[in-house]
């Protein structure tokens, strides 16, 4: 009986150590992502080329302009001061590069149907659930065109219910989504 108790204590300590290691790894990923995002933001703003004639107004079907930095392609930046968010947006979703920064999932700011996804790192979309109706979100494309959005809805959906995001009866001008901390649901 004494050996069984010692074994259970040892297993408990190992599980606690594993949880702490996982927590530390997640903190490191968040720190690393934040550090990279700040560097990318400074490069995007240095290389901004203002679109003086705003072609997208005449031709909303044109693709978002892109800029390449360190072999990754970006369409612009997103900012939400209410949750201290300012991060670059990748042009294409890829599970590997998504660890760096949020990405365009589909749509366009020019056509008022943009969907952006990102990890729930605190430096990325980890605070989306704390946004409130009326909060302002700003998207700036790499040509310097600025699009201002107001939060009108925040939803928590089941992880496999992407139809709730992608096939809305009334598509939103901008939709951003991420995992909850548990990973079971999406914000």
């Amino acid at each position: 009986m004494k050996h069984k108790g010692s074994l259970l204590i040892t297993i408990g300590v190992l599980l606690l150590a594993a949880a702490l290691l996982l927590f530390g790894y997640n903190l490191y990923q968040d720190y690393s992502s934040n550090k990279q995002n700040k560097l990318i933001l400074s490069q995007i703003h240095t290389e901004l080329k203002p679109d003086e004639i705003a072609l997208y107004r005449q031709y909303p079907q044109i693709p978002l302009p892109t800029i390449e930095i360190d072999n990754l392609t970006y369409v612009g930046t997103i900012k939400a001061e209410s949750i201290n968010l300012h991060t670059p947006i990748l042009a294409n979703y890829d599970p590997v590069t998504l660890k760096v920064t949020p990405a365009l999932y589909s749509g366009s700011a020019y056509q008022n149907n943009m969907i952006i996804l990102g990890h729930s790192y605190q430096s990325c979309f980890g605070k989306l659930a704390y946004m409130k109706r009326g909060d302002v979100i700003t998207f700036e494309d790499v040509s310097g065109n600025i699009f201002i959005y107001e939060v009108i809805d925040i939803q928590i959906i089941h992880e496999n219910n992407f139809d709730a995001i992608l096939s809305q009866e009334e598509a939103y001008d901008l939709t951003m989504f991420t995992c909850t901390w548990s990973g079971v649901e999406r914000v």
Side-chain angles (χ1 to χ4, degrees), residues 23-72:
F23 179 73
Y25 174 77
N26 285 337
L27 283 179
Y28 170 76
Q29 285 288 350
D30 189 23
Y31 169 78
S32 176
S33 174
N34 190 33
K35 187 175 176 182
Q36 256 183 309
N37 285 347
K38 286 181 180 181
L39 179 63
I40 294 164
L41 280 171
S42 69
Q43 290 177 346
I44 285 176
H45 288 291
T46 300
E47 299 182 30
L48 261 178
K49 301 171 189 141
D51 181 1
E52 294 176 15
I53 55 174
L55 283 176
Y56 76 89
R57 292 183 198 277
Q58 295 175 329
Y59 308 102
Q61 73 281 2
I62 63 173
L64 287 166
T66 60
I67 190 169
E68 189 170 315
I69 299 172
D70 296 331
N71 296 320
L72 293 175

Side-chain angles (χ1 to χ4, degrees), residues 19-142:
L20 288 173
L21 284 172
L22 182 60
F23 179 73
Y25 174 77
N26 285 337
L27 283 179
Y28 170 76
Q29 285 288 350
D30 189 23
Y31 169 78
S32 176
S33 174
N34 190 33
K35 187 175 176 182
Q36 256 183 309
N37 285 347
K38 286 181 180 181
L39 179 63
I40 294 164
L41 280 171
S42 69
Q43 290 177 346
I44 285 176
H45 288 291
T46 300
E47 299 182 30
L48 261 178
K49 301 171 189 141
D51 181 1
E52 294 176 15
I53 55 174
L55 283 176
Y56 76 89
R57 292 183 198 277
Q58 295 175 329
Y59 308 102
Q61 73 281 2
I62 63 173
L64 287 166
T66 60
I67 190 169
E68 189 170 315
I69 299 172
D70 296 331
N71 296 320
L72 293 175
T73 307
Y74 297 88
V75 292
T77 64
I78 196 111
K79 189 176 198 175
E81 291 183 9
S82 65
I83 58 170
N84 197 26
L85 171 70
H86 189 200
T87 188
I89 303 297
L90 287 161
N92 300 301
Y93 162 71
D94 177 301
V96 175
T97 57
L98 193 61
K99 290 182 179 182
V100 176
T101 190
L104 181 65
Y105 188 76
S106 68
S108 169
Y110 302 162
Q111 296 178 22
N112 298 320
N113 63 355
M114 189 163 58
I115 300 176
I116 300 173
L117 77 149
H119 274 297
S120 58
Y121 304 144
Q122 292 299 301
S123 61
C124 289
F125 283 3
K127 299 177 187 173
L128 282 184
Y130 300 115
M131 295 196 81
K132 295 178 176 46
R133 287 180 178 209
D135 284 352
V136 174
I137 300 169
T138 305
F139 172 74
E140 183 174 5
D141 71 13
V142 297

Side-chain angles (χ1 to χ4, degrees), residues 12-22:
V13 168
L14 289 174
L15 288 173
L16 184 59
L20 288 173
L21 284 172
L22 182 60

Side-chain angles (χ1 to χ4, degrees), residues 1-11:
M1 197 65 155
K2 184 178 179 184
H3 294 297
K4 187 176 180 181
S6 296
L7 179 64
L8 290 175
I9 289 173
T10 302
I11 290 172

Side-chain angles (χ1 to χ4, degrees), residues 120 129 156-157 178-187:
S120 58
I156 306 293
I157 61 170
T178 189
C179 299
T180 57
W181 278 97
S182 68
V184 175
E185 297 170 314
R186 304 289 179 256
V187 177

